Structure formats: C-alpha cells, structure tokens
C-alpha cells in the first residue's frame, strides 16, 4: 500500500506540474525565448555597443500637483540626466479632479518644468477625469499636450510609431476604430505602440476590461502592435506578451492603489513610479523606476 500510495502521489504531482507548465506555455505562446528569460530574471541583455532608436518615458494619473507627483517628476528628471529621453507619453487623468484647464500650471507646467525647459515634448491622451470639463476639449487644444485638437491621433519617431486613443465611454468608437485599423494597416513602422487611459489587463482595482479586449486586442494581434500603455489603475504592472502584445500600466504617477498578481503578470507593484523605455532594432526594454531613482523592474518586448 505504501508503494502504491507513493506512486499515486508522484503521478498526481506530475499531472499538477504538467498543468502549470501547460498553462504557462499557453499564456506565453507568442513570447520569444528572450522575453521568457527576462521575465524570470527581470534583467535585460547587455547592449553596450548598440545605439537605441528611441528613449521615452511613460506615466499616467499625474495631475494632482501634490507631493507624489513632484516626487515622480523629480525621479524622471534625475534619470533623464544619465539616460536622456526624447519624449514623454502622458496616459490620461492629466488634471484632477475634473480636467479644469486653469489648473494646468499647478498640475503640469510646474511639476515637469525641468523636462519642459529641456524641450522634451509630452504627448497626452484623455482620461475619465479629463473629460469632466467641456469633454476634454481644452486639453486637446493645449499646445504642450501635442494633441492637435484631436481626441485620438498618431505620431512617429523614425522606426517607432505611436497611436494615442480616446478610451472613454463617450469616445467616437466607430470612427476611431476604423482610423486605428487603417493606420496600423498602412504603417511600415518597425515598432507599433498604442496608448490610452483605460486598462485592458489589470490585477488592480479595475481588473479586466472586456470591452477593450473585444474591440482593441484583435487589431493589436492582426497588425502586430507590440506594446499598449495605459493608466487608470494607480499601479505599475507589466504583463507577459499576450498574443504578441505586452500591456503596461504606469498609473502610479501621483497616487497609489493596491495591486495583485495574475496569470498574465510579469511584474506588478504598488509604488510611485514611471516607466522608461529604450527601443532597439530587435527589442524594446521597459524599466519601472521608483521615486528613489532605482530600477525595480526590467523586461523586454520582442520586435516580432
């Protein structure tokens, strides 16, 4: 009986291990070996002789004008002294609580003045708080947000193309989705990056966004979008590649919420932070950086 019992336990453990590995493979079926290795070690490969195509920061849920925002802004400035960035993605909720443009100096121009004085452009999208005043129109027309009066738009830096979306419930989804699909289809950019305010995959307060999973992720998969950046949940979370797309929440730009860990999570943290992105020909390295200036997460996205 003891021998049979030991054999039964080994058999059961083998099934359990196989289920875990199989689930991991399904989740990561589109991940190259590089991403799997980095997810395990949280370290990118050394690239001492390779010149980046682009360096940029991303941050969201920033517009408080309070201590937390200043701490993150200071860390961005300090990090940028050693690793200069060319632009900043500002993923919504740019002005709390109601998108009042008259607060712009206190919640944007003053906190980020060192970066703005260097001529670093910010590219914004509208969050749910931003549309509470005149449906966000004043922000779309604010020159330093580079939105050109539009609620969704695209811009390009060499081999890297960005699409900024309006992910609010009252967005013009019919025209926006047609515009996005046409832009992705026509683009010959090596790197395709989409950003919007609302989460798609999140282990924090708002969880899975099933509407955006239905409407956006099929386009991401079809046209090879490698990275989606968002805020809304006030946390940092980087996913494994899901059908070829990595999802990054960088919503801890001024305040915090709790965050868990899901089957898609490569790394998650509840800490004031921003993300620094370094784009190469063959990969995009993402780093989560806290207010102490330390890198607490590293991961990479494959070009294919």
């Amino acid at each position: 009986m003891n021998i049979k019992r030991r054999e039964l336990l080994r058999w059961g453990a083998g099934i359990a291990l196989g289920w875990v590995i199989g689930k991991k493979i399904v989740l990561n079926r589109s991940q190259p070996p590089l991403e799997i290795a980095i997810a395990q070690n949280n370290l990118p490969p050394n690239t001492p002789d390779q010149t980046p195509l682009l360096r940029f920061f991303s941050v969201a849920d920033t517009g408080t004008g309070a201590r937390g925002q200043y701490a993150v802004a200071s860390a961005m400035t300090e990090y940028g002294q050693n690793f200069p960035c060319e632009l900043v993605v500002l993923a919504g909720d740019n002005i709390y609580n109601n998108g009042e443009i008259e607060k712009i100096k206190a919640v944007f121009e003053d906190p980020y003045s060192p970066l703005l004085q260097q001529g670093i452009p910010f590219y914004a999208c509208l969050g749910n708080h931003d549309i509470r005043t005149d449906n966000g129109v004043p922000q779309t027309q604010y020159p330093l947000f580079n939105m050109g009066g539009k609620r969704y738009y695209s811009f390009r830096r060499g081999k890297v193309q960005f699409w900024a979306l309006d992910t609010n419930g009252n967005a013009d989804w019919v025209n926006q989705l047609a515009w996005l699909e046409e832009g992705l289809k026509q683009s010959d950019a090596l790197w395709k990056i989409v950003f919007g305010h609302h989460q798609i995959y999140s282990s924090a307060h708002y969880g899975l966004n099933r509407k955006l999973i239905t409407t956006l992720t099929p386009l991401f998969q079809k046209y090879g979008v490698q990275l989606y950046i968002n805020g809304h949940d006030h946390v940092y979370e980087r996913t494994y590649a899901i059908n070829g797309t990595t999802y990054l929440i960088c919503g801890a730009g001024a305040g915090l919420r709790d965050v868990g860990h899901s089957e898609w999570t490569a790394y998650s943290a509840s800490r004031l932070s921003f993300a620094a992105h370094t784009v190469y020909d063959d990969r995009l390295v993402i780093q989560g950086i806290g207010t102490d200036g330390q890198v607490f997460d590293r991961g990479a996205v494959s070009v294919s």
Side-chain angles (χ1 to χ4, degrees):
M1 288 294 294
N2 288 337
I3 294 175
K4 290 183 178 180
R5 186 170 183 273
R6 284 196 298 271
E7 290 177 348
L8 181 61
L9 288 173
R10 283 197 297 269
W11 178 76
I15 291 177
L17 179 60
W19 180 86
V20 170
I21 293 173
K23 190 173 183 180
K24 191 77 166 180
I25 290 172
V26 169
L27 177 64
N28 296 321
R29 62 189 179 279
S30 59
Q31 286 183 257
L34 173 66
E35 170 60 12
I36 295 173
I38 289 169
Q40 291 172 347
N41 299 304
N42 283 332
L43 291 172
N46 293 323
T47 54
D49 300 322
Q50 192 171 2
T51 301
L53 301 175
L54 178 71
R55 283 195 178 101
F56 70 96
F57 298 159
S58 66
V59 68
D61 300 273
T62 56
T64 64
R67 181 183 303 175
Q69 183 185 12
Y70 271 90
V72 174
S74 177
M76 293 167 67
T77 301
E78 181 178 351
Y79 185 85
Q81 291 173 354
N82 294 318
F83 303 98
C85 82
E86 298 176 45
L87 63 94
V88 178
V89 165
L90 194 61
D93 279 359
N94 313 307
I95 305 175
Y96 284 108
N97 280 321
N98 299 305
E100 310 96 318
I101 197 65
E102 60 269 20
K103 293 183 177 179
I104 195 67
K105 186 176 186 300
V107 304
F108 176 72
E109 294 175 1
D110 287 347
Y112 302 114
S113 60
L115 296 174
L116 293 170
Q117 288 169 9
Q118 296 174 44
I120 297 172
F122 283 67
Y123 291 87
C125 66
L126 296 175
N128 53 296
H129 284 266
D130 298 318
I131 64 173
R132 292 180 180 179
T133 294
D134 196 17
N135 205 24
V137 170
Q139 292 194 44
T140 68
Q141 297 175 343
Y142 175 62
L144 295 184
F145 281 171
N146 289 292
M147 300 178 71
K150 301 175 182 178
R151 292 168 68 102
Y152 52 91
Y153 62 97
S154 181
F155 64 96
R156 184 162 177 165
R157 291 292 183 273
K159 296 180 181 181
V160 186
Q161 187 163 357
F162 297 82
W163 285 263
L165 302 183
D166 175 11
T167 56
N168 287 289
N170 66 347
D172 181 5
W173 280 104
V174 173
N175 288 321
Q176 179 174 218
L177 288 173
W179 165 86
L180 177 62
E181 180 163 20
E182 184 64 20
L184 291 172
K185 182 193 304 183
Q186 295 297 327
S187 177
D188 64 353
L190 180 65
W191 288 95
K192 297 177 180 179
I193 299 172
V194 177
F195 66 95
H197 179 64
H198 290 83
Q199 88 294 350
I200 297 182
Y201 291 91
S202 172
S203 303
H205 177 74
Y206 290 106
L208 289 174
N209 191 324
R210 302 203 178 272
K211 177 182 177 181
L212 297 188
I213 289 174
T214 300
T215 56
L216 291 180
T217 63
L219 294 179
F220 295 172
Q221 183 176 1
K222 183 176 182 180
Y223 297 107
V225 173
Q226 296 103 337
L227 178 64
Y228 175 77
I229 300 169
N230 67 274
H232 200 41
D233 265 324
H234 301 177
V235 302
Y236 175 95
E237 184 173 10
R238 176 176 59 87
T239 74
Y240 296 109
I242 302 172
N243 293 324
T245 304
T246 295
Y247 297 83
L248 179 71
I249 303 175
C250 53
L256 295 175
R257 287 196 178 105
D258 292 333
V259 63
H261 193 279
S262 304
E263 62 181 2
W264 58 75
T265 307
Y267 193 94
S268 62
S270 177
R271 59 186 297 176
L272 293 171
S273 57
F274 69 99
H277 308 259
T278 308
V279 188
Y280 299 94
D281 275 310
D282 60 345
R283 64 200 174 283
L284 187 160
V285 178
I286 302 170
Q287 298 183 108
I289 301 171
T291 54
D292 58 0
Q294 299 300 306
V295 176
F296 60 82
D297 173 51
R298 288 187 179 98
V301 179
S302 171
V303 71
S304 58

